[in-house]
Amino acid sequence: MSEDTETADDQQLAVVVAKPRSQVAIESLQAEGLYDDTRSITEWTADSVAVPVTAPPQETQFREVVRQVGKRRLRTLDDHLRERGWTDAEIDAAPSSWAVLGSVVLVDIGDSPRPAEVGDALLALHGEAETVLARHGISGEHREPSVEVIAGDGDTETVHTEHGTRYAMDLSEVMFSPGNKAERARMGEIVSEERGTRPSERASGEAASEGGERVLDMFAGIGYFTLPMARAGAHVTAVERNPTAFRFLVENVMLNDVDERVHPYRADCREVVPGFASEGRADRVVMGYYEASAPRAEDSRAPPDASHEYLDSALDALAPGGVLHMHEATPDALVFDRPIERLEAAAAEADRDVEVLDTRRVKEYSEGVAHVVVDARVQ
């Protein structure tokens, strides 16, 4: 038998799915325990891919089950680069981490040699992806990303699914931090849709709510925290002044079927707070935007306002007994003292008391600077 002849053992199962929903299918197959990650995802037709499985799925949607040549997957980026003739020294300089966001691979290319080859290797490693973007930094008032297409078809628009929440975005125009994944999920988990008396109702004497907290997301972006909270049952007023991010925020609200629970505003949050508070103060305020305490070299300039400078507006919007989630980029030497001191000073100015509920490191923002969150109840 020649080496090119396929044996019965070489033929293994795969399911054919549309390219745009390949990531959703993979996550569903993983949940069923059927995704075979020892084999490569391959293109099946111009608009579909064959995803390897160990058995036909019962819950995942697919077009057809097919027999696929059982080519074993090269397991790592190092494998793919070594196959392309890279030396050990070159591989040591290659990227060590990246993120697959829908059909786009986002990578910090660093000082790696031959970025185009790295991009091709990442496409081979992640068969569901169609474009590889090298990320070079964030700049400007609206925190706009600087990216470069290094492989693939160059389409930077994608839909990324995370814990059931769908995020449509253009990664050449809006930022999306893979390192915030756990925090986005957590915000959905802490929001309760149970009926009962909420802090804002206790303060105003209103009747018990029909369910779902009243939330103000002061820097909503494309819906990073708004969407998981709304999907959990909260009623969210989402404010975003970047027109591109706002466009995707509105699209994502519809995409996740939460349009009845999200009220988007394209404005500066300080302009929205007076009207918001007059209708009823928030049970929860999210301040998900933060400035760079030590701006990275690639940033053209620091944002005009630091996040803590919005604390007076946040407190104006928050009901007594409500919870504030304050994000900050803090030098390691000042974690968590500085954000807590800033919050306590703002609360004292407003004649209010603060109880710190939790503090967390979300990720490393840059060398010596951490992205942190402080959760606090404010009376």
Side-chain angles (χ1 to χ4, degrees):
M1 180 181 294
S2 72
E3 293 182 359
D4 294 332
T5 302
E6 297 171 6
T7 68
D9 289 340
D10 290 327
Q11 295 289 322
Q12 301 184 50
L13 296 181
V15 291
V16 177
V17 300
K19 285 182 179 178
R21 66 175 308 274
S22 58
Q23 185 185 15
V24 175
I26 291 168
E27 291 180 356
S28 178
L29 290 167
Q30 288 172 331
E32 288 193 68
L34 299 177
Y35 177 54
D36 185 355
D37 65 0
T38 69
R39 291 184 287 137
S40 298
I41 298 169
T42 58
E43 185 173 76
W44 191 254
T45 64
D47 67 344
S48 67
V49 293
V51 181
V53 294
T54 56
Q58 300 298 312
E59 300 176 6
T60 304
Q61 295 182 357
F62 59 91
R63 292 182 180 178
E64 59 179 323
V65 177
V66 298
R67 292 283 179 178
Q68 180 192 43
V69 175
K71 183 178 180 181
R72 309 311 293 179
R73 181 194 292 273
L74 295 174
R75 301 288 297 178
T76 66
L77 178 61
D78 290 2
D79 292 340
H80 283 273
L81 295 176
R82 193 167 284 111
E83 190 175 64
R84 286 165 167 77
W86 282 45
T87 67
D88 288 343
E90 290 173 327
I91 289 173
D92 287 343
S96 59
S97 64
W98 54 88
V100 181
L101 304 176
S103 60
V104 177
V105 180
L106 192 63
V107 60
D108 289 319
I109 202 68
D111 297 324
S112 173
R114 301 194 292 284
E117 289 187 21
V118 174
D120 289 339
L122 286 169
L123 287 180
L125 184 62
H126 299 285
E128 71 275 24
E130 299 176 358
T131 297
V132 179
L133 286 180
R135 178 171 51 185
H136 296 307
I138 303 295
S139 64
E141 176 182 351
H142 295 308
R143 308 288 288 155
E144 294 155 344
S146 172
V147 297
E148 175 188 4
V149 176
I150 59 173
D153 63 14
D155 187 358
T156 56
E157 289 198 20
T158 189
V159 177
H160 171 61
T161 303
E162 192 175 271
H163 300 291
T165 301
R166 303 179 72 191
Y167 296 93
M169 63 190 119
D170 186 334
L171 287 163
S172 70
E173 296 187 329
V174 299
M175 62 176 290
F176 190 90
S177 176
N180 294 357
K181 180 178 181 178
E183 186 65 16
R184 287 189 287 270
R186 190 184 75 92
M187 292 307 297
E189 293 168 358
I190 64 175
V191 169
S192 171
E193 59 181 335
E194 295 179 2
R195 299 188 180 194
T197 303
R198 306 187 323 236
S200 58
E201 293 157 348
R202 291 198 299 270
S204 63
E206 296 174 2
S209 167
E210 288 299 315
E213 294 184 344
R214 178 171 165 82
V215 177
L216 174 63
D217 188 351
M218 296 178 68
F219 313 100
I222 66 170
Y224 311 109
F225 301 126
T226 287
L227 298 173
M229 289 190 295
R231 292 183 65 242
H235 297 272
V236 186
T237 295
V239 187
E240 175 55 47
R241 66 182 183 183
N242 180 337
T244 302
F246 182 80
R247 173 169 62 86
F248 282 107
L249 170 64
V250 173
E251 179 178 343
N252 288 329
V253 166
M254 303 300 293
L255 189 63
N256 287 275
D257 293 324
V258 290
D259 50 297
E260 293 185 357
R261 292 198 294 275
V262 177
H263 308 283
Y265 287 86
R266 184 181 164 230
D268 186 297
C269 54
R270 287 171 292 202
E271 299 171 355
V272 174
V273 164
F276 173 89
S278 69
E279 295 177 2
R281 298 170 84 182
D283 306 298
R284 193 177 302 275
V285 172
V286 182
M287 302 180 72
Y289 167 88
Y290 56 89
E291 83 287 1
S293 300
R296 290 183 283 184
E298 64 267 26
D299 289 3
S300 63
R301 62 187 178 92
D305 295 300
S307 55
H308 66 273
E309 294 177 7
Y310 292 85
L311 277 169
D312 57 344
S313 291
L315 294 173
D316 285 346
L318 186 65
V323 175
L324 176 67
H325 304 275
M326 176 186 172
H327 291 239
E328 185 180 281
T330 309
D332 287 338
L334 301 178
V335 174
F336 289 93
D337 294 338
R338 191 179 73 175
I340 292 175
E341 288 172 359
R342 286 173 165 174
L343 175 55
E344 289 176 341
E349 183 72 19
D351 197 23
R352 301 181 68 171
D353 295 322
V354 173
E355 175 193 0
V356 175
L357 303 176
D358 194 11
T359 57
R360 290 174 317 287
R361 282 179 178 259
V362 177
K363 64 179 185 300
E364 181 184 18
Y365 175 78
S366 60
E367 185 175 357
V369 179
H371 171 187
V372 303
V373 185
V374 175
D375 297 346
R377 189 177 305 281
V378 182
Q379 299 297 339

